[in-house]
Amino acid sequence: MMRFDVITLFGPMFDAVALHGVTRRAREEGRWELHRWNPRDFTRDAHRTVDDRPFGGGPGMVMLAEPLARAVEAARGAQRAAGLASHVVALAPTGAPLTDAKVRRWAAGTGLGLVLVCGRYEGIDQRFLDTMVDEEASIGDFVMSGGEIPAMALIDAVVRHLPGALKDASAEDESFAPGRDGLLDAPHYTRPEVWRGQEVPAVLLSGHHAQIAQWRRAQSEARTRERRPELLQDPQYQVAARGKAQGS
């Protein structure tokens, strides 16, 4: 079972993944579990303070290191008691991009618990990040109000790859899946065959599986070249392209 311990000021937000959709079903089937820890519960002042003004001046407030550290220590202790090794991830726009390969590694890890730290305000005291966090992760080159939505995106992405979470092999045919050589997914169509004057590509109606596979591969490469050309420089794609050329 995969375990997520989330350090957040807004625990109820995580009902979105705990109580709905594929992630809800997988949780009810015992494939993963969620625990929420509020840094305010680890403060020692009457006002339950979790932030303060930044040294050196500047806008906004900075989250205090100590309440976060105590919350992480509590989460690690709970994971250790459950026989799990902890990996602490802070969700922040300054982190490394969250990739499908990393998500798959976490999902495949046995005896692993993820502690997800959701920042707020202007940021988190760097000393906490330096001493208590194993890595920082970002879901894109933009800034959000906090780390909760990125953390939910991470949970959703990992849970989809847990054994049995999906009822078919769809995860293996999506964008970034290893079998796709790092390419984006091809376009999809369903009924009716003509919708508002737009027809489904004839090859998809042909029943010729080899031609359909070739069409989808070509569409994936064209879409990737147009929208994410940097992916074509990925070693995964380069190796596959060389093998394809040698086999032609």
Side-chain angles (χ1 to χ4, degrees), residues 109-154:
T110 57
L112 175 67
L114 290 180
V115 179
L116 307 180
V117 180
C118 304
R120 279 273 159 176
Y121 313 121
E122 190 66 22
I124 298 173
D125 191 306
Q126 186 63 40
R127 293 168 294 185
F128 166 81
L129 297 173
D130 290 341
T131 59
M132 302 295 296
V133 171
D134 295 308
E135 65 177 291
E136 297 179 53
S138 168
I139 64 168
D141 295 336
F142 50 88
V143 177
M144 305 190 73
S145 300
E148 283 78 13
I149 292 176
M152 284 187 274
L154 185 155

Short mmCIF file of all heavy atoms in Angstrom, two decimals, residues 109-154:
data_model
loop_
_atom_site.label_atom_id
_atom_site.label_comp_id
_atom_site.label_asym_id
_atom_site.label_seq_id
_atom_site.Cartn_x
_atom_site.Cartn_y
_atom_site.Cartn_z
N GLY A 109 7.69 1.80 -5.98
CA GLY A 109 8.46 1.61 -4.77
C GLY A 109 7.69 0.83 -3.71
O GLY A 109 6.53 1.13 -3.42
N THR A 110 8.31 -0.18 -3.15
CA THR A 110 7.68 -0.95 -2.08
C THR A 110 8.19 -0.44 -0.74
O THR A 110 9.36 -0.10 -0.59
CB THR A 110 8.00 -2.44 -2.24
OG1 THR A 110 9.43 -2.62 -2.25
CG2 THR A 110 7.40 -3.00 -3.52
N GLY A 111 7.30 -0.38 0.22
CA GLY A 111 7.69 0.10 1.54
C GLY A 111 8.03 1.57 1.57
O GLY A 111 8.85 2.01 2.38
N LEU A 112 7.39 2.36 0.69
CA LEU A 112 7.69 3.79 0.59
C LEU A 112 6.50 4.62 1.03
O LEU A 112 5.36 4.34 0.66
CB LEU A 112 8.05 4.15 -0.85
CG LEU A 112 8.29 5.64 -1.14
CD1 LEU A 112 9.55 6.12 -0.42
CD2 LEU A 112 8.41 5.88 -2.64
N GLY A 113 6.78 5.65 1.81
CA GLY A 113 5.78 6.65 2.15
C GLY A 113 6.25 8.01 1.70
O GLY A 113 7.42 8.36 1.88
N LEU A 114 5.36 8.77 1.08
CA LEU A 114 5.69 10.12 0.64
C LEU A 114 5.12 11.13 1.63
O LEU A 114 3.94 11.08 1.98
CB LEU A 114 5.13 10.40 -0.75
CG LEU A 114 5.79 9.66 -1.93
CD1 LEU A 114 5.11 10.04 -3.24
CD2 LEU A 114 7.28 9.98 -2.00
N VAL A 115 5.97 12.05 2.07
CA VAL A 115 5.54 13.18 2.90
C VAL A 115 5.55 14.39 1.99
O VAL A 115 6.61 14.79 1.49
CB VAL A 115 6.48 13.39 4.11
CG1 VAL A 115 6.00 14.59 4.93
CG2 VAL A 115 6.53 12.14 4.97
N LEU A 116 4.39 14.98 1.76
CA LEU A 116 4.25 16.10 0.83
C LEU A 116 4.05 17.40 1.61
O LEU A 116 3.08 17.52 2.38
CB LEU A 116 3.07 15.86 -0.11
CG LEU A 116 3.08 14.52 -0.87
CD1 LEU A 116 1.85 14.43 -1.77
CD2 LEU A 116 4.37 14.36 -1.67
N VAL A 117 4.96 18.33 1.43
CA VAL A 117 4.91 19.61 2.15
C VAL A 117 4.31 20.68 1.24
O VAL A 117 4.85 20.97 0.17
CB VAL A 117 6.32 20.03 2.62
CG1 VAL A 117 6.24 21.36 3.37
CG2 VAL A 117 6.95 18.95 3.47
N CYS A 118 3.20 21.24 1.68
CA CYS A 118 2.50 22.26 0.89
C CYS A 118 2.79 23.64 1.45
O CYS A 118 2.30 24.01 2.53
CB CYS A 118 1.00 22.00 0.91
SG CYS A 118 0.53 20.36 0.34
N GLY A 119 3.59 24.40 0.73
CA GLY A 119 3.91 25.75 1.16
C GLY A 119 2.76 26.71 0.93
O GLY A 119 1.83 26.44 0.17
N ARG A 120 2.84 27.86 1.59
CA ARG A 120 1.87 28.94 1.42
C ARG A 120 2.61 30.25 1.56
O ARG A 120 3.80 30.30 1.83
CB ARG A 120 0.77 28.85 2.49
CG ARG A 120 -0.32 27.84 2.17
CD ARG A 120 -1.41 28.45 1.31
NE ARG A 120 -2.17 27.45 0.59
CZ ARG A 120 -3.22 27.73 -0.17
NH1 ARG A 120 -3.63 28.98 -0.28
NH2 ARG A 120 -3.86 26.77 -0.82
N TYR A 121 1.90 31.34 1.33
CA TYR A 121 2.44 32.69 1.46
C TYR A 121 3.58 32.89 0.46
O TYR A 121 3.53 32.39 -0.67
CB TYR A 121 2.88 32.96 2.91
CG TYR A 121 1.85 32.53 3.93
CD1 TYR A 121 2.15 31.58 4.90
CD2 TYR A 121 0.55 33.04 3.89
CE1 TYR A 121 1.19 31.18 5.83
CE2 TYR A 121 -0.41 32.64 4.80
CZ TYR A 121 -0.09 31.71 5.77
OH TYR A 121 -1.02 31.31 6.66
N GLU A 122 4.62 33.63 0.86
CA GLU A 122 5.71 33.93 -0.07
C GLU A 122 6.66 32.75 -0.27
O GLU A 122 7.35 32.66 -1.28
CB GLU A 122 6.51 35.16 0.44
CG GLU A 122 7.51 35.71 -0.54
CD GLU A 122 6.86 36.31 -1.78
OE1 GLU A 122 5.67 36.66 -1.72
OE2 GLU A 122 7.55 36.43 -2.82
N GLY A 123 6.67 31.85 0.70
CA GLY A 123 7.56 30.70 0.60
C GLY A 123 7.81 30.09 1.96
O GLY A 123 7.14 30.40 2.94
N ILE A 124 8.82 29.21 2.01
CA ILE A 124 9.17 28.48 3.23
C ILE A 124 10.60 28.83 3.62
O ILE A 124 11.46 28.99 2.75
CB ILE A 124 9.05 26.96 3.00
CG1 ILE A 124 7.61 26.59 2.65
CG2 ILE A 124 9.54 26.17 4.20
CD1 ILE A 124 7.43 25.14 2.25
N ASP A 125 10.85 28.94 4.91
CA ASP A 125 12.21 29.20 5.39
C ASP A 125 13.17 28.18 4.77
O ASP A 125 12.98 26.97 4.88
CB ASP A 125 12.23 29.08 6.92
CG ASP A 125 13.53 29.59 7.53
OD1 ASP A 125 14.61 29.11 7.10
OD2 ASP A 125 13.47 30.44 8.43
N GLN A 126 14.22 28.69 4.12
CA GLN A 126 15.14 27.84 3.37
C GLN A 126 15.82 26.81 4.26
O GLN A 126 16.16 25.71 3.81
CB GLN A 126 16.19 28.70 2.67
CG GLN A 126 17.11 27.92 1.75
CD GLN A 126 16.37 27.28 0.59
OE1 GLN A 126 15.47 27.87 0.01
NE2 GLN A 126 16.76 26.05 0.23
N ARG A 127 16.01 27.13 5.53
CA ARG A 127 16.67 26.19 6.43
C ARG A 127 15.86 24.91 6.60
O ARG A 127 16.43 23.82 6.74
CB ARG A 127 16.95 26.87 7.78
CG ARG A 127 17.98 28.00 7.67
CD ARG A 127 18.01 28.84 8.93
NE ARG A 127 16.76 29.58 9.11
CZ ARG A 127 16.55 30.47 10.09
NH1 ARG A 127 17.51 30.70 10.98
NH2 ARG A 127 15.40 31.10 10.20
N PHE A 128 14.54 25.04 6.60
CA PHE A 128 13.71 23.85 6.64
C PHE A 128 13.89 23.02 5.37
O PHE A 128 14.05 21.80 5.42
CB PHE A 128 12.24 24.24 6.80
CG PHE A 128 11.28 23.12 6.53
CD1 PHE A 128 11.01 22.17 7.50
CD2 PHE A 128 10.66 23.00 5.29
CE1 PHE A 128 10.13 21.11 7.25
CE2 PHE A 128 9.78 21.96 5.03
CZ PHE A 128 9.51 21.01 6.01
N LEU A 129 13.89 23.68 4.22
CA LEU A 129 14.05 22.98 2.95
C LEU A 129 15.41 22.29 2.88
O LEU A 129 15.53 21.17 2.35
CB LEU A 129 13.89 23.95 1.78
CG LEU A 129 12.52 24.62 1.66
CD1 LEU A 129 12.55 25.68 0.56
CD2 LEU A 129 11.43 23.59 1.37
N ASP A 130 16.44 22.94 3.42
CA ASP A 130 17.79 22.38 3.35
C ASP A 130 17.97 21.15 4.24
O ASP A 130 18.76 20.26 3.93
CB ASP A 130 18.82 23.44 3.75
CG ASP A 130 18.95 24.54 2.71
OD1 ASP A 130 18.54 24.34 1.56
OD2 ASP A 130 19.46 25.63 3.07
N THR A 131 17.25 21.11 5.35
CA THR A 131 17.51 20.07 6.35
C THR A 131 16.43 18.99 6.44
O THR A 131 16.71 17.87 6.88
CB THR A 131 17.69 20.68 7.75
OG1 THR A 131 16.50 21.41 8.10
CG2 THR A 131 18.87 21.64 7.76
N MET A 132 15.21 19.29 6.02
CA MET A 132 14.09 18.37 6.24
C MET A 132 13.48 17.79 4.96
O MET A 132 12.65 16.89 5.03
CB MET A 132 12.98 19.08 7.04
CG MET A 132 13.41 19.62 8.38
SD MET A 132 13.90 18.34 9.57
CE MET A 132 12.36 17.45 9.80
N VAL A 133 13.89 18.32 3.82
CA VAL A 133 13.25 17.94 2.56
C VAL A 133 14.23 17.19 1.68
O VAL A 133 15.39 17.59 1.53
CB VAL A 133 12.72 19.21 1.84
CG1 VAL A 133 12.25 18.88 0.44
CG2 VAL A 133 11.59 19.83 2.65
N ASP A 134 13.78 16.08 1.09
CA ASP A 134 14.64 15.30 0.19
C ASP A 134 14.69 15.89 -1.21
O ASP A 134 15.70 15.80 -1.89
CB ASP A 134 14.13 13.86 0.12
CG ASP A 134 14.24 13.16 1.47
OD1 ASP A 134 15.35 13.17 2.04
OD2 ASP A 134 13.23 12.61 1.95
N GLU A 135 13.59 16.48 -1.65
CA GLU A 135 13.59 17.14 -2.96
C GLU A 135 12.39 18.08 -3.07
O GLU A 135 11.39 17.94 -2.35
CB GLU A 135 13.54 16.12 -4.09
CG GLU A 135 12.29 15.29 -4.19
CD GLU A 135 12.32 14.37 -5.41
OE1 GLU A 135 12.24 14.89 -6.54
OE2 GLU A 135 12.42 13.14 -5.21
N GLU A 136 12.51 19.05 -3.96
CA GLU A 136 11.42 19.95 -4.29
C GLU A 136 10.91 19.58 -5.67
O GLU A 136 11.68 19.24 -6.56
CB GLU A 136 11.87 21.41 -4.28
CG GLU A 136 12.34 21.89 -2.92
CD GLU A 136 12.80 23.34 -2.95
OE1 GLU A 136 12.03 24.21 -3.41
OE2 GLU A 136 13.96 23.59 -2.54
N ALA A 137 9.59 19.67 -5.86
CA ALA A 137 8.99 19.31 -7.14
C ALA A 137 8.04 20.40 -7.60
O ALA A 137 7.35 21.03 -6.79
CB ALA A 137 8.24 17.98 -7.02
N SER A 138 8.02 20.63 -8.90
CA SER A 138 7.15 21.63 -9.51
C SER A 138 6.29 20.98 -10.58
O SER A 138 6.75 20.08 -11.29
CB SER A 138 8.00 22.74 -10.14
OG SER A 138 7.20 23.58 -10.97
N ILE A 139 5.03 21.43 -10.72
CA ILE A 139 4.18 20.90 -11.77
C ILE A 139 4.12 21.83 -12.98
O ILE A 139 3.37 21.58 -13.92
CB ILE A 139 2.75 20.61 -11.27
CG1 ILE A 139 2.06 21.91 -10.82
CG2 ILE A 139 2.78 19.59 -10.14
CD1 ILE A 139 0.56 21.74 -10.59
N GLY A 140 4.92 22.89 -12.98
CA GLY A 140 4.93 23.78 -14.13
C GLY A 140 5.56 25.12 -13.82
O GLY A 140 5.78 25.47 -12.66
N ASP A 141 5.85 25.87 -14.86
CA ASP A 141 6.49 27.17 -14.71
C ASP A 141 5.46 28.26 -14.46
O ASP A 141 5.23 29.16 -15.28
CB ASP A 141 7.32 27.49 -15.96
CG ASP A 141 8.49 26.54 -16.14
OD1 ASP A 141 8.92 25.96 -15.13
OD2 ASP A 141 8.95 26.38 -17.27
N PHE A 142 4.80 28.16 -13.32
CA PHE A 142 3.83 29.16 -12.90
C PHE A 142 3.72 29.08 -11.38
O PHE A 142 4.17 28.11 -10.77
CB PHE A 142 2.46 28.94 -13.56
CG PHE A 142 1.96 27.53 -13.43
CD1 PHE A 142 1.23 27.13 -12.32
CD2 PHE A 142 2.22 26.60 -14.43
CE1 PHE A 142 0.76 25.82 -12.20
CE2 PHE A 142 1.75 25.30 -14.32
CZ PHE A 142 1.02 24.91 -13.20
N VAL A 143 3.13 30.10 -10.79
CA VAL A 143 3.02 30.16 -9.33
C VAL A 143 1.56 30.03 -8.92
O VAL A 143 0.68 30.64 -9.53
CB VAL A 143 3.60 31.49 -8.80
CG1 VAL A 143 3.44 31.59 -7.28
CG2 VAL A 143 5.07 31.61 -9.18
N MET A 144 1.31 29.22 -7.90
CA MET A 144 -0.04 29.05 -7.37
C MET A 144 -0.09 29.59 -5.94
O MET A 144 0.93 29.95 -5.36
CB MET A 144 -0.44 27.57 -7.40
CG MET A 144 -0.34 26.95 -8.78
SD MET A 144 -1.09 25.31 -8.89
CE MET A 144 -2.83 25.77 -8.83
N SER A 145 -1.29 29.63 -5.37
CA SER A 145 -1.46 30.18 -4.03
C SER A 145 -0.86 29.29 -2.96
O SER A 145 -0.60 29.74 -1.85
CB SER A 145 -2.95 30.40 -3.74
OG SER A 145 -3.52 31.30 -4.67
N GLY A 146 -0.65 28.03 -3.27
CA GLY A 146 -0.07 27.11 -2.31
C GLY A 146 0.25 25.78 -2.96
O GLY A 146 -0.02 25.57 -4.15
N GLY A 147 0.81 24.88 -2.18
CA GLY A 147 1.24 23.60 -2.73
C GLY A 147 0.18 22.52 -2.73
O GLY A 147 0.45 21.39 -3.15
N GLU A 148 -1.04 22.84 -2.27
CA GLU A 148 -2.06 21.81 -2.15
C GLU A 148 -2.48 21.23 -3.51
O GLU A 148 -2.55 20.00 -3.67
CB GLU A 148 -3.29 22.35 -1.41
CG GLU A 148 -3.12 22.48 0.08
CD GLU A 148 -2.31 23.70 0.50
OE1 GLU A 148 -2.08 24.58 -0.36
OE2 GLU A 148 -1.89 23.77 1.67
N ILE A 149 -2.77 22.08 -4.47
CA ILE A 149 -3.20 21.57 -5.78
C ILE A 149 -2.07 20.80 -6.46
O ILE A 149 -2.31 19.70 -6.99
CB ILE A 149 -3.74 22.71 -6.66
CG1 ILE A 149 -5.05 23.24 -6.06
CG2 ILE A 149 -3.96 22.26 -8.09
CD1 ILE A 149 -5.65 24.42 -6.78
N PRO A 150 -0.82 21.30 -6.46
CA PRO A 150 0.27 20.47 -6.98
C PRO A 150 0.41 19.13 -6.25
O PRO A 150 0.68 18.10 -6.87
CB PRO A 150 1.51 21.35 -6.78
CG PRO A 150 0.97 22.74 -6.86
CD PRO A 150 -0.37 22.67 -6.18
N ALA A 151 0.22 19.12 -4.93
CA ALA A 151 0.31 17.87 -4.18
C ALA A 151 -0.79 16.90 -4.60
O ALA A 151 -0.56 15.70 -4.72
CB ALA A 151 0.24 18.14 -2.68
N MET A 152 -1.98 17.43 -4.83
CA MET A 152 -3.07 16.57 -5.29
C MET A 152 -2.78 16.03 -6.68
O MET A 152 -3.11 14.87 -6.99
CB MET A 152 -4.39 17.34 -5.27
CG MET A 152 -4.96 17.49 -3.88
SD MET A 152 -6.62 18.22 -3.88
CE MET A 152 -6.21 19.97 -3.91
N ALA A 153 -2.18 16.85 -7.54
CA ALA A 153 -1.79 16.38 -8.86
C ALA A 153 -0.78 15.25 -8.75
O ALA A 153 -0.86 14.25 -9.48
CB ALA A 153 -1.22 17.54 -9.68
N LEU A 154 0.18 15.39 -7.86
CA LEU A 154 1.18 14.35 -7.65
C LEU A 154 0.51 13.05 -7.15
O LEU A 154 0.81 11.97 -7.66
CB LEU A 154 2.21 14.84 -6.64
CG LEU A 154 3.42 13.95 -6.35
CD1 LEU A 154 4.58 14.81 -5.85
CD2 LEU A 154 3.10 12.88 -5.31
#
